Amino acid sequence: MKEKEDKAGGDGSMEERILACAERLFLNKGYNLTSMTEIAREAGCTQALVHYYFRTKENLFSKIFEGKFHLFIDCIVRKEDENLPFEEIVAVRTSRLFDLMAANRRLPFVFLSEFIINPDQRFSLKDNIVSLCAEATSRLETMIAAEVEGGRIRPVGTMDITLNMFSLVVTFFIVLPFLEEMGFVTDANRDEFIEQRRQEILKTLIGGLRP
């Protein structure tokens, strides 16, 4: 009876609860070590109800994975940033990506493992990513050309800037757990260390653009 009530009257809240619990488990344990039974237990519902909403674990993971990847892409394609000076655009987008990684520290590991282990994830997202980025990339290339012509930055490609941004930020958050385990980063200095690293990344990116 309770399950029927959940389906009929609480669809939004129960579906969101299942998604939230599944996301937490997938990020902490990875896809293979997370079961539908465990997701149901965390969400406080039956496994049948999880299947009712999402059918399979693969569908549930794909929904979460794609949502997170869209957040990832959103960090570097927001049109409202384009009213800012060029260096500030780079700083704002890099800092936004940094904040996303800081709030989802397991995210780089999930992305890397799933892209390597599950090529279907790459293929399913490819067309969506291309369409999301194409217009923003075109606008950014126009801005870069103007900055280069004005002598404010060196000749550089949009892809170079984007890859530098991603590699510097994501690599830091991949390495961070090892730094913590080795004792270089502790509870006492973690916030200061992370913020200092943000500033160093920004200096590296922006300094590398100047002629």
Side-chain angles (χ1 to χ4, degrees):
M1 180 66 179
K2 176 66 167 65
E3 187 173 320
K4 289 181 180 178
E5 288 173 359
D6 283 331
K7 289 181 184 179
D11 281 10
S13 60
M14 177 52 74
E15 185 174 359
E16 289 165 9
R17 192 189 314 168
I18 292 169
L19 277 171
C21 292
E23 178 181 319
R24 185 165 59 250
L25 289 167
F26 284 138
L27 289 177
N28 288 335
K29 301 179 66 173
Y31 177 83
N32 289 330
L33 294 179
T34 300
S35 69
M36 292 288 264
T37 301
E38 190 174 13
I39 292 169
R41 185 167 58 246
E42 284 279 314
C45 67
T46 65
Q47 189 173 338
L49 193 56
V50 180
H51 283 284
Y52 168 79
Y53 285 116
F54 300 101
R55 297 205 318 272
T56 66
K57 184 173 80 166
E58 183 179 9
N59 287 344
L60 180 51
F61 180 82
S62 294
K63 186 173 180 65
I64 293 167
F65 188 89
E66 187 167 342
K68 287 295 183 183
F69 206 88
H70 277 232
L71 287 177
F72 215 61
I73 297 298
D74 184 57
C75 291
I76 60 165
V77 299
R78 289 192 194 174
K79 192 170 183 178
E80 60 266 30
D81 296 342
E82 294 167 15
N83 295 320
L84 301 171
F86 183 75
E87 286 190 1
E88 196 169 339
I89 291 175
V90 175
V92 165
R93 291 180 173 180
T94 304
S95 195
R96 190 184 294 132
L97 177 63
F98 196 96
D99 288 340
L100 177 65
M101 293 295 101
N104 299 270
R105 287 180 50 186
R106 295 293 303 171
L107 202 54
F109 298 96
V110 173
F111 281 157
L112 288 173
S113 65
E114 288 308 311
F115 275 157
I116 293 169
I117 294 169
N118 187 359
D120 289 342
Q121 290 289 358
R122 297 197 302 269
F123 298 139
S124 68
L125 287 171
K126 182 181 68 173
D127 291 341
N128 207 350
I129 292 168
V130 169
S131 64
L132 278 170
C133 295
E135 184 184 350
T137 299
S138 176
R139 294 193 304 267
L140 191 59
E141 285 175 351
T142 301
M143 297 178 71
I144 289 172
E147 293 294 309
V148 170
E149 187 176 352
R152 292 179 289 278
I153 67 171
R154 64 179 177 83
V156 63
T158 304
M159 184 61 71
D160 292 319
I161 295 174
T162 304
L163 288 176
N164 288 343
M165 181 192 308
F166 274 93
S167 59
L168 286 169
V169 174
V170 173
T171 300
F172 168 64
F173 284 99
I174 289 173
V175 172
L176 183 56
F178 299 102
L179 297 177
E180 292 172 329
E181 288 175 6
M182 291 186 289
F184 294 117
V185 180
T186 65
D187 290 342
N189 73 355
R190 182 175 291 104
D191 290 347
E192 182 181 355
F193 185 91
I194 289 174
E195 183 56 33
Q196 180 182 6
R197 190 62 204 152
R198 181 208 303 266
Q199 297 306 320
E200 286 299 319
I201 288 171
L202 291 174
K203 288 176 186 175
T204 299
L205 283 170
I206 293 171
L209 289 172
R210 289 170 182 157

